[in-house]
């Protein structure tokens, strides 16, 4: 059996990002770290971090840093755009739309524009305006705002002109036998990857640490 790797997928996404950047942003977008990981939100196709989640500098414990060092750390490094691994099996056009959707968030971050609320779930009119200027059409969702995007005719024609339109690997969703009982879990544990702060919740939450501006991650 031939060996499988995520590298071709990451390479393809980085190449697509570069093409979209030139086509719709004149090359002005900062290059993020592009990742592929499981959908921990149970529904999202992807995300763009609201903080510079990646760094190439030697890590240092938050507790050992001065306030000015913490502030400087927030402003250095690279944003992350993630494509959820289970959804790479969708048509290539839809995966491309997800990437372009997250690139709008990246653009607004660079411009200092707040385009979401409710911990990043509700997309406001500022998101809609930027998206429609950069290759997308936008419809309003009753719960999540201006978040329902699709490629506009120009972007669709551009994607259709590309040669390689398929991802050869995707992550299977969790497979459960019909009728299998669900394990009842009273609380969930979330940990801030920056300072290690722990919170617990009785349901799935999307919370950002006020000190580190980093998203809490669910722990085992």
């Amino acid at each position: 059996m031939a060996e499988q790797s995520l590298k071709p997928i990451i390479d393809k996404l980085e190449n697509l990002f570069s093409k979209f950047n030139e086509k719709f942003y004149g090359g002005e977008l900062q290059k993020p770290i592009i990742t592929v990981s499981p959908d921990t939100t149970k529904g999202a196709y992807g995300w763009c971090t609201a903080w510079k989640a990646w760094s190439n500098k030697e890590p240092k414990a938050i507790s050992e840093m001065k306030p000015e060092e913490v502030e400087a750390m927030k402003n250095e490094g690279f944003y992350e755009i993630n494509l959820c691994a289970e959804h790479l099996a969708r048509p290539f056009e839809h995966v491309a739309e997800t990437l372009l959707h997250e690139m709008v968030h990246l653009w607004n971050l660079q411009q200092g524009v707040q385009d979401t609320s409710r911990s990043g779930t509700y997309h406001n009119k500022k998101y809609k305006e930027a998206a429609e200027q950069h290759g997308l059409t936008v419809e309003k969702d009753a719960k999540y705002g201006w978040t329902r995007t699709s490629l506009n005719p120009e972007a669709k024609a551009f994607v259709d002109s590309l040669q390689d339109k398929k991802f050869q690997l995707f992550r299977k969703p969790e497979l459960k036998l019909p009728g299998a009982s669900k394990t009842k879990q009273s609380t969930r544990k979330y940990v801030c990857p920056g300072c290690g702060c722990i919170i617990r919740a009785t349901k799935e939450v999307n919370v950002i640490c006020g000190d580190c501006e980093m998203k809490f991650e669910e722990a085992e």
Side-chain angles (χ1 to χ4, degrees):
M1 177 183 288
E3 291 186 4
Q4 297 294 330
S5 170
L6 279 176
K7 186 177 184 303
I9 294 176
I10 300 297
D11 288 346
K12 188 179 297 186
L13 289 171
E14 289 181 342
N15 185 49
L16 187 58
F17 175 92
S18 296
K19 286 182 166 62
F20 279 160
N21 193 12
E22 289 299 323
K23 176 69 175 177
F24 297 106
Y25 292 92
E28 294 183 10
L29 274 180
Q30 301 170 10
K31 188 174 181 181
I33 301 298
I34 295 180
T35 62
V36 171
S37 68
D39 173 18
T40 57
T41 68
K42 296 180 174 59
Y45 293 141
W47 62 72
C48 176
T49 58
W51 68 97
K52 293 185 176 180
W54 290 79
S55 176
N56 52 15
K57 293 186 177 181
E58 185 175 349
K60 188 176 180 181
I62 300 291
S63 59
E64 298 175 0
M65 299 174 67
K66 298 177 181 178
E68 58 269 22
E69 291 179 309
V70 174
E71 194 61 33
M73 185 181 70
K74 293 179 182 178
N75 298 318
E76 71 85 16
F78 313 93
Y79 293 106
E80 171 189 285
I81 286 181
N82 180 77
L83 277 290
C84 293
E86 294 89 342
H87 305 302
L88 292 175
R90 293 179 300 149
F92 183 81
E93 174 185 319
H94 295 175
V95 179
E97 176 271 319
T98 296
L99 177 60
L100 200 54
H101 178 116
E102 302 308 331
M103 290 172 68
V104 175
H105 288 303
L106 181 60
W107 172 256
N108 282 332
L109 285 166
Q110 285 185 207
Q111 304 304 311
V113 174
Q114 180 70 39
D115 65 6
T116 63
S117 58
R118 300 178 192 169
S119 298
T121 61
Y122 187 89
H123 293 49
N124 61 33
K125 286 187 177 180
K126 291 181 179 179
Y127 178 84
K128 177 180 184 291
E129 292 170 2
E132 291 179 340
Q133 293 170 6
H134 297 96
L136 295 170
T137 59
V138 188
E139 296 180 13
K140 191 173 186 180
D141 179 270
K143 185 176 181 181
Y144 300 112
W146 299 99
T147 187
R148 297 173 59 186
T149 54
S150 57
L151 301 176
N152 69 16
E154 181 185 11
K156 188 177 185 309
F158 183 73
V159 170
D160 288 344
S161 72
L162 301 176
Q163 298 299 313
D164 190 355
K165 300 187 181 68
K166 188 175 181 182
F167 292 94
Q168 303 294 336
L169 200 63
F170 65 94
R171 190 178 193 271
K172 295 184 292 185
E174 184 179 359
L175 302 176
K176 295 182 179 179
L177 294 175
S181 61
K182 296 182 179 179
T183 301
K184 186 175 182 180
Q185 185 175 1
S186 58
T187 61
R188 299 167 185 253
K189 177 182 176 182
Y190 293 84
V191 181
C192 172
C195 64
C197 178
I198 296 173
I199 62 173
R200 298 183 185 275
T202 57
K203 63 179 182 178
E204 183 176 315
V205 296
N206 186 6
V207 181
I208 293 176
C209 177
D211 293 327
C212 306
E213 295 187 1
M214 301 179 74
K215 181 179 177 181
F216 278 82
E217 298 176 350
E218 187 171 0
E220 296 294 335

